[in-house]
């Protein structure tokens, strides 16, 4: 079907100042690039992650999640704290699978995340029942920020109530899953 050629042609049309396209055409192209797996065109998605049009940004977020490309993680995490995009970013980051837990663990360890973003991490990693996600939740319990601690405690409580067999030592370190 010569998808590469069709994507190139569509991108060229969007970069041509003389032509006008509707929002639907742009959304379709963003999602096509996301589904295609053609890394050469990911910069087109990246460009629209910072658009002024909230609807376009939401579809760019979805397309970025479809790619599961590491280069989008930092931008998606940055967008997570914006209420307008919160749900879309959570869905996109969950598509990265357990890999996102490792990335968040490293970012949190490097202390580059602000408290608002750290407070949203528990909601994101709740679905990943891995040792590292639990260790990250326990690390967030030690935060100085009350809302971060509350969110982490809430997720740990939900996991406990779902009968996930967690054994925690008195020092809040993970012993066995």
């Amino acid at each position: 079907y010569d998808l590469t050629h069709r994507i190139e042609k569509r991108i060229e049309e969007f970069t041509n100042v003389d032509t006008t396209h509707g929002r639907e055409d742009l959304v379709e192209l963003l999602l096509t690039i996301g589904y295609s797996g053609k890394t050469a065109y990911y910069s087109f998605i990246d460009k629209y992650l910072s658009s002024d049009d909230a609807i376009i940004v939401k579809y760019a977020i979805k397309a970025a999640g479809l790619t599961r490309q590491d280069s989008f993680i930092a931008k998606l995490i940055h967008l997570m704290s914006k209420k307008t995009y919160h749900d879309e970013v959570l869905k996109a980051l969950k598509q990265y699978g357990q890999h996102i837990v490792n990335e968040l663990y490293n970012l949190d360890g490097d202390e580059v995340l602000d408290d608002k973003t750290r407070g949203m991490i528990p909601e994101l990693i709740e679905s990943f029942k891995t040792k590292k996600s639990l260790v990250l939740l326990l690390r967030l319990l030690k935060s100085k920020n009350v809302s971060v601690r509350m969110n982490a405690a809430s997720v740990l409580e939900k996991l406990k109530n779902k009968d996930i067999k967690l054994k925690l030592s008195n020092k809040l370190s993970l012993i066995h899953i």
Side-chain angles (χ1 to χ4, degrees), residues 2 14 23 42 44 49 55 86 92 96 136 143 148 172 176:
D2 202 18
F14 274 95
R23 182 187 289 167
Y42 288 175
F44 191 78
L49 283 172
I55 293 172
H86 178 73
Y96 281 81
L136 180 54
S143 173
V148 173
L172 289 179
H176 182 71

Side-chain angles (χ1 to χ4, degrees), residues 129-131 134 138 155-169 173-177:
K129 295 163 184 80
T130 64
K131 183 176 182 176
L134 294 173
L138 292 172
V155 168
L156 284 167
E157 182 70 20
K158 284 180 191 175
L159 291 174
K160 180 183 167 214
N161 291 339
K162 287 182 181 176
D163 200 30
I164 303 297
K165 293 186 170 94
L166 304 176
K167 292 185 182 179
L168 304 174
S169 75
S173 61
L174 192 60
I175 295 175
H176 182 71
I177 297 180

Side-chain angles (χ1 to χ4, degrees), residues 10-92:
R10 297 287 296 175
I11 289 174
E12 191 176 300
E13 290 173 8
F14 274 95
T15 55
N16 186 351
V17 182
D18 297 335
T19 57
T20 57
H21 295 280
R23 182 187 289 167
E24 297 80 18
D25 294 332
L26 179 56
V27 165
E28 181 182 316
L29 180 57
L30 287 168
L31 294 177
T32 299
I33 293 169
Y35 281 116
S36 75
K38 307 264 185 215
T39 57
Y41 308 114
Y42 288 175
S43 61
F44 191 78
I45 295 171
D46 189 44
K47 173 182 173 182
Y48 287 98
L49 283 172
S50 55
S51 173
D52 293 334
D53 185 339
I55 293 172
I56 296 299
V57 174
K58 287 180 180 184
Y59 280 99
I61 289 168
K62 183 175 181 176
L66 291 170
T67 69
R68 293 182 299 280
Q69 184 73 18
D70 286 351
S71 61
F72 290 123
I73 292 175
K75 288 188 179 190
L76 291 173
I77 289 172
H78 173 72
L79 288 169
M80 184 168 54
S81 63
K82 296 184 179 179
K83 191 173 187 170
T84 310
Y85 309 123
H86 178 73
D87 293 338
E88 287 79 11
V89 171
L90 285 179
K91 288 177 192 172

